[in-house]
Amino acid sequence: QVQLVESGGGLVHPGGSLRLSCTASGFTLDYYAMGWFRQAPGKEREGVSWISGRGSGSRTEYADSVKGRFTISRDNAKNTVYLQMNALKPEDTAVYYCARRVVHSRWSNVNEYDYWGQGTQVTVSS
């Protein structure tokens, strides 16, 4: 069955970096666009970034709040999608989720994704 497992979260000081990983199983990662979302306490889940699948030239997009600080990438041979997060801020604190995208209208719409991981906690605090 389809599974997505996130890892790499943790506690980091402001200005620090983390790299999140999302390892996929049960499907061919290469064929699918993938996204990263996050959800802070009391807030709605919001789109962070997405990366296109095969045949789309590794197109990426980012939320304005993370542009220039976060980088999404994928290694299809390892069935893994990454989110490199630099210059972290306290407002980046959230549970981060990866998801498989199956509808291509608005990338930050959670309804365009059919499978989700369990999430990994990222806490940015001094």
Side-chain angles (χ1 to χ4, degrees):
Q1 73 276 24
V2 173
Q3 276 194 312
L4 299 171
V5 179
E6 301 95 337
S7 61
L11 173 64
V12 63
H13 292 312
S17 298
L18 283 174
R19 188 177 79 158
L20 305 184
S21 299
C22 170
T23 302
S25 60
F27 68 101
T28 304
L29 181 68
D30 191 20
Y31 294 159
Y32 289 88
M34 299 292 293
W36 282 98
F37 286 74
R38 66 186 181 186
Q39 189 166 19
K43 294 189 176 182
E44 291 187 355
R45 193 168 296 191
E46 64 171 353
V48 175
S49 181
W50 79 284
I51 185 167
S52 61
R54 174 183 286 197
S56 301
S58 291
R59 177 184 172 189
T60 61
E61 289 186 70
Y62 299 90
D64 288 344
S65 59
V66 307
K67 277 181 185 175
R69 301 188 296 122
F70 290 12
T71 303
I72 191 171
S73 62
R74 62 193 300 156
D75 185 336
N76 293 322
K78 294 183 178 179
N79 286 335
T80 302
V81 178
Y82 303 99
L83 185 69
Q84 178 67 43
M85 306 187 296
N86 298 328
L88 283 161
K89 305 175 181 180
E91 51 263 44
D92 295 317
T93 295
V95 177
Y96 283 71
Y97 301 89
C98 68
R100 188 177 78 171
R101 189 179 183 192
V102 292
V103 176
H104 294 263
S105 178
R106 184 166 62 90
W107 73 268
S108 58
N109 183 348
V110 297
N111 295 315
E112 296 200 354
Y113 298 80
D114 62 347
Y115 284 95
W116 295 78
Q118 83 290 348
T120 185
Q121 176 71 47
V122 171
T123 303
V124 185
S125 175
S126 55

